[in-house]
Every structure is written in structure tokens, then in C-alpha cells.
Amino acid sequence: MQSLDFRSFLLASLFSLVGWLLYRALYRLVLSPIANVPGPKLAALTTLYAAYYDVYLPGQYVFKIKELHKKYGPIVRVTPHEVHVNDVEFLDAIYNPPSRKRNKFLPNLKGLPLDESVGAARNWELHRKRREALNPFFSHKKVLETEGLIRGKVDRFCKNLDNGLKLGSVVNLSDMYFALALDVVQQYSFGQDDNVLDDLQEANRLRNNIARLLRGVNFNRHFSWFIRMMSMLPKSIGDSLVPPGVTDLVRFRKNIRENVDQVLADTENEHKGDLKSVFYELKANQELTKFERAPSRLEDEGSLLIMAGTESTAKSMQIAQYHLLANPSVMARLRDELSKEGNPTELKVLEQLPYLSAIILEANRLSFGLTGRNTRVAPDEVLRYKQYVLPPGIGISMTTLCIHTTEDIFPDPWTFNPDRFLGREGMERRKYMMSMGRGPYKCIGINVANAEMSMVLAAVAGYELQLFETDEEDVKFMSDSQIAHPKPDSTGVRARVVSKL
Ligand code: HEM
């Protein structure tokens, strides 16, 4: 009797499950308010379609989406809950509508579990509060005050080039740019750094770890339940099953937590340093609630700051450097511009140089910033795109890939051409740049990144470098995993130091 009851229970559960799946399929394909948006039926039916391109191929969904637009037109349904628009004139409606609210889209925040960081604040109001606490550290004025810190690091960078020249060895510029960006953002955040520029083997190890960690982002985003499940298993079993990127993330966060704890434990501010650094100021900011200053919240904020400040900046610097070395005419024009100004090193002068600024913009364009679907949600507003009505709660995205390779705006888009940002037309074109994001969520570190890039690129132009076993695929956007990844077996941009000019 008991086994009969159990069988009936199983059967009833099975029927309910099948019924629920059928209803869900019907809803997604027919009843959903975005059922009329064109796109592959499989993408409308299940997120596994996106997962196939994101995780299995991997990092190819953004490229597939670009293809889908050729077939389906400027608006495509890319998952059951999300549409993608390929129309630069719709940028502001998604990212920067004056005095209207935009939230972030929950499924896209699951890739990097930094839940309490400013970047993961899903709700516009919470985001604004966190952003306001950070803004003062990133103003242009504040960056000018930290010029000496960046100059010290650029000098250390050049010492590594001098060493390479003396020893006749090959230098790994990717490791060096990574170390530069990491040292700077650590100083900015914690008032001290690990001086990774002095230990390039460590820089190489850390760079590879972070790249591996980022390669895990798409998996985490689609299968966050798996990560949660693994974390419940005994450590010995869990550790052997989790993908390598997750172990790296745990190690990375542990390191950040130690930094945060050191700042919190430094009650006399003995290690505060001369400059105001983010976490020393946040811990003293009485306007923030206790939760906002709690160690675990600060650990998330620190992890985001270090990761965002290091990886993206290092990437843009590598891209600029590669193209400067691969295109002697571009390097010649940069050297000419610098020499006409008396080879300046001051940030205030460097940031006014039009060609150097155009090189930085072009490197940022080809870095593609955050390469995934940068999805927003209008919480209380119906959006309209052509004849399509997009009700509140629907995810709407545009990828930087689509924007930065729009031929009408950026002709011959895969060619490194700083000229496209010069003159009146060039100025006009800048408004379509998305590498730093747009609107209230846009990059907070723009001024820091620009300062680092202009100072180091000007300094390195003073050396004759020759690329060593490096080609464009070492810097090209070939797969998306939060940021652009080059060919999988790339060892970075490497060069021989031929002479000091
Ligand atoms: C060339 C270098 C950089 C690029 C291309 C870049 C790109 C971006 C992009 C696209 C976003 C927007 C994310 C979104 O819309 O959700 C962002 C956010 C952010 N970036 Fe950067 N970034 C760079 C450098 C930096 C630096 C140097 C720092 C720190 C010193 C930094 C810290 C941040 C932070 C904290 C956020 C989150 C801002 C928020 O959610 O309000 N970034 N970055």
C-alpha cells in the first residue's frame, strides 16, 4: 500500500514537472510580452542556447549575436528574458536616459561573485550610494595629486626595460603592464602595494591566474547553482571538482581580505601613506552604515577595484603597445608629437596631446571594455524600439563588440587607426565609445587609467623595441569572458629592447 502511494506520488510529481515545463515553453514562445521579438526559437526557449556559445565554445555568444543581427535585424531576442539591440542611436535610451532609472540585470551579475561591490549593486539607488562614497577618490583633481605615485611606477617599469637592454633578454610587456596597473591600484586602494613590478615572475603568475579566473566567469554566470553546490561539499571533494578559475577566485579574495583586514586593524593609521587611499577613507566614513563598512562588504569592493583597475588597464596598455610596435608610422607620429613638446613627462601636458590621446582611445576601442552583454533593466518604464514594446523588467543589452565594429561609425573597425579620433569628425565619433561604459554605472577609474596610459606610453616611446614571437592574435578580441581574451595559447606581448633613444 505504502509503495503504491509512493509510486502515485512519483507519477504526480512527474506529471506536474512535465506540465510546468510545457507551460513554461508555451509562455516563452507564445505568451511572453517579448514573444514577437525576432530571433532563434531555441534562444527564446532556453538559456542553454546562450550557454552553448558562452561556455561550450567558449566566449562566442557576443560574436554569434552580431551574426544573428544580420539575419534577424536590429533587435534580437537573445535569451528568454533579454533582447539585444544593434543600433548606436538607442545607446542612451538603454544606458543613460536623463533622470530615468536603470537597474542591472541579475543573471549577468552572477559571473563574478562580488555581490556587495558597487559594480554588482543591481538596484540604481544602492548603486548611487556606493558610487557616491567612492567618487571623490577618482576625480581628475585627485588623479593629478597622485601623479608622483604613477611616475614612480613608470620609472620602475623603465628600469625593467633598461635591464632587458643590458641583458639582451626578451621582456614580457604584458606582465610588466599588468604589474604596473596592479601596483597603482593597490596603492590607490590600500595605501601600499606588493611592488609586483620588482618581481616579474610573480606578475606572470598573477596575470595567468586572473586570466584563468576570468575565463570561468561565463560558467559561473550560467551555472551558479553548481558553484553553490560545490561549496557545500567537504573541502577535499569540492576542491577537486571545481573548475580552476574558482580556486583562483578564492585565493584572490583571500589576499584582498588580508589587505582589508590590515587597513581595519591599523587603528593608528600607521600605514596609511601620504595619499588618501580608498579603504582608509571608507573605514573612517561615518556617513556609511555599519554594513557598508563591514569587512566582508569591503572585501567585495576591494576585489572589484583591484580586478577592474588591473585587468582592463593592462589590456588597453598592451593593445596600444602592440600596435605602436607593429605600425612604425604610428610610433613615428607619436615620437614626433612628444619631441615637439620637448618630450614631456608631466601628466597635465601629456593629457593635452591629441595624437597620444587618440592612441589611447583607439586602444580602448579595440579592448572593447566589458565584452559581455552589458544588460540593463528599466524597472518602471515601458521602452519602445521601432514597433517593439519592451515592458519593465525585460533585460535590454548592447555589446561593445557590435558598437565598436559598426562600420558606419568606425570604418574598417579591426584596424588600429588613431586618426579616427582626430579632428571634428573624430570628436563626434567619441560619443559612441562604450569601452568605459556609459551613464551612472560607467567606469569610475577613467582618469586613473588615462593617467597611467599616457605616462607609460610616452615613456616607453623613448625605447626602440622589437616584437618577439608576438602577433595580432596576442592582443585581439577572440573570446569574451568579462573582458576580451586573445588566442588561448598566448603568452603575451613580448619584445627585445634594442636601444634607448
Ligand atoms: C582602460 C581601462 C579601463 C577600462 C576599459 C574599464 C572599463 C570599465 C567598464 C566598461 C565599466 C562599466 C561596467 C558597467 O557598465 O557595469 C567599469 C566599471 C568600473 N571600473 Fe573600470 N575600466 C578601466 C580602468 C579602471 C581603473 C583603473 C579602475 C580603478 C582604479 C576601475 C574601476 C572600476 C570600477 C570600480 C567600476 C564599477 C563602477 C560602478 O559600478 O559604478 N576601472 N570599468
Side-chain angles (χ1 to χ4, degrees):
M1 182 69 181
Q2 238 180 17
S3 77
L4 193 71
D5 282 350
F6 184 65
R7 216 179 311 141
S8 322
F9 171 74
L10 264 187
L11 269 177
S13 305
L14 196 67
F15 274 121
S16 311
L17 180 68
V18 172
W20 176 74
L21 285 173
L22 283 175
Y23 172 74
R24 198 172 68 156
L26 179 76
Y27 179 82
R28 288 180 173 181
L29 291 175
V30 183
L31 305 174
S32 159
I34 53 170
N36 62 338
V37 176
K41 288 287 170 244
L42 212 49
L45 190 62
T46 167
T47 52
L48 288 175
Y49 180 85
Y52 172 75
Y53 291 98
D54 271 341
V55 183
Y56 183 71
L57 284 185
Q60 297 303 307
Y61 200 32
V62 291
F63 297 96
K64 178 69 185 177
I65 288 173
K66 193 168 160 66
E67 256 177 50
L68 292 177
H69 279 293
K70 287 187 193 139
K71 181 169 176 195
Y72 293 103
I75 182 165
V76 172
R77 189 171 175 195
V78 289
T79 76
H81 324 284
E82 186 186 344
V83 300
H84 184 275
V85 179
N86 186 14
D87 180 346
V88 291
E89 299 311 330
F90 203 57
L91 267 173
D92 282 333
I94 300 179
Y95 296 102
N96 199 20
S99 63
R100 274 151 39 213
K101 297 171 202 157
R102 290 293 176 268
N103 288 343
K104 287 197 172 180
F105 188 57
L106 183 62
N108 287 10
L109 296 177
K110 291 180 179 166
L112 276 174
L114 307 173
D115 301 354
E116 299 303 339
S117 67
V118 63
R122 179 185 172 197
N123 172 280
W124 66 274
E125 215 169 351
L126 176 63
H127 173 266
R128 195 177 59 187
K129 278 191 195 136
R130 291 194 172 148
R131 179 81 182 210
E132 277 169 2
L134 290 175
N135 275 338
F137 305 102
F138 295 94
S139 66
H140 186 239
K141 185 168 165 278
K142 165 78 185 168
V143 174
L144 286 176
E145 283 166 20
T146 55
E147 179 178 354
L149 150 71
I150 303 176
R151 171 143 336 105
K153 292 296 170 189
V154 170
D155 289 347
R156 188 65 198 84
F157 187 99
C158 291
K159 273 206 185 106
N160 286 332
L161 293 181
D162 294 336
N163 275 346
L165 177 62
K166 205 163 75 190
L167 301 173
S169 54
V170 170
V171 289
N172 189 322
L173 293 164
S174 297
D175 292 342
M176 284 169 57
Y177 280 120
F178 179 89
L180 173 81
L182 177 58
D183 281 355
V184 170
V185 74
Q186 275 191 335
Q187 279 283 351
Y188 235 86
S189 304
F190 303 113
Q192 49 190 311
D193 64 75
D194 294 337
N195 202 5
V196 184
L197 266 171
D198 263 357
D199 183 353
L200 294 179
Q201 262 181 343
E202 176 66 357
N204 180 269
R205 191 185 69 79
L206 291 172
R207 184 170 73 84
N208 287 329
N209 282 0
I210 292 213
R212 204 160 54 159
L213 182 165
L214 288 173
R215 283 189 194 275
V217 161
N218 285 336
F219 179 88
N220 301 353
R221 185 178 295 139
H222 284 283
F223 304 107
S224 55
W225 53 267
F226 178 82
I227 310 290
R228 273 200 304 278
M229 215 168 74
M230 289 300 107
S231 65
M232 287 176 207
L233 291 174
K235 199 168 156 20
S236 55
I237 306 173
D239 279 1
S240 62
L241 293 178
V242 291
V246 177
T247 330
D248 293 321
L249 180 63
V250 172
R251 223 177 294 138
F252 171 78
R253 289 183 59 108
K254 197 167 155 268
N255 198 0
I256 301 290
R257 181 55 179 265
E258 280 166 14
N259 283 306
V260 167
D261 286 345
Q262 267 168 25
V263 172
L264 297 179
D266 185 8
T267 45
E268 302 297 318
N269 290 341
E270 282 171 40
H271 306 289
K272 191 171 175 211
D274 300 333
L275 297 164
K276 284 187 173 178
S277 52
V278 176
F279 289 90
Y280 272 97
E281 299 303 315
L282 286 186
K283 83 166 177 179
N285 186 340
Q286 294 301 325
E287 280 173 29
L288 295 176
T289 60
K290 255 190 169 169
F291 176 79
E292 289 296 302
R293 287 182 285 139
S296 58
R297 215 288 294 162
L298 295 181
E299 176 187 325
D300 279 4
E301 200 70 297
S303 304
L304 172 75
L305 259 175
I306 299 293
M307 219 181 277
T310 308
E311 260 302 317
S312 309
T313 321
K315 179 139 304 270
S316 284
M317 293 192 284
Q318 289 171 61
I319 293 172
Q321 190 64 70
Y322 168 80
H323 288 289
L324 279 165
L325 299 181
N327 301 288
S329 62
V330 177
M331 178 64 102
R333 278 179 69 185
L334 173 63
R335 285 185 180 142
D336 193 40
E337 182 177 67
L338 290 167
S339 113
K340 278 188 183 138
E341 289 297 324
N343 290 317
T345 52
E346 307 80 55
L347 181 54
K348 261 192 172 157
V349 181
L350 290 170
E351 60 188 13
Q352 296 302 323
L353 299 181
Y355 198 61
L356 176 58
S357 306
I359 288 173
I360 292 171
L361 277 168
E362 184 65 338
N364 286 341
R365 185 182 71 82
L366 287 176
S367 84
F368 294 92
L370 284 195
T371 48
R373 304 191 306 282
N374 224 350
T375 315
R376 296 285 181 268
V377 173
D380 50 16
E381 183 188 348
V382 174
L383 287 182
R384 285 187 169 74
Y385 180 76
K386 296 192 188 287
Q387 73 271 34
Y388 300 101
V389 178
L390 310 169
I394 292 297
I396 309 166
S397 58
M398 259 193 220
T399 52
T400 323
L401 174 72
C402 280
I403 301 157
H404 287 189
T405 59
T406 298
E407 296 261 357
D408 296 348
I409 312 283
F410 301 109
D412 198 6
W414 292 99
T415 298
F416 187 84
N417 175 16
D419 281 316
R420 65 172 96 242
F421 289 110
L422 294 177
R424 216 158 52 88
E425 237 180 80
M427 286 294 166
E428 189 56 21
R429 197 166 271 134
R430 292 175 190 207
K431 73 175 188 221
Y432 297 109
M433 284 288 281
M434 268 298 279
S435 38
M436 297 288 182
R438 204 180 192 85
Y441 297 95
K442 76 171 180 243
C443 178
I444 204 169
I446 298 175
N447 295 317
V448 186
N450 283 342
E452 281 180 62
M453 287 183 76
S454 41
M455 288 170 79
V456 76
L457 293 175
V460 180
Y463 290 81
E464 192 63 55
L465 303 175
Q466 210 168 54
L467 287 171
F468 176 82
E469 294 180 1
T470 301
D471 61 36
E472 198 177 344
E473 293 196 349
D474 286 296
V475 292
K476 196 172 176 186
F477 176 20
M478 303 195 71
S479 82
D480 146 54
S481 200
Q482 189 80 5
I483 59 164
H485 290 259
K487 63 182 176 192
D489 57 348
S490 172
T491 43
V493 177
R494 289 172 299 156
R496 266 188 209 290
V497 190
V498 179
S499 62
K500 194 168 179 175
L501 302 173

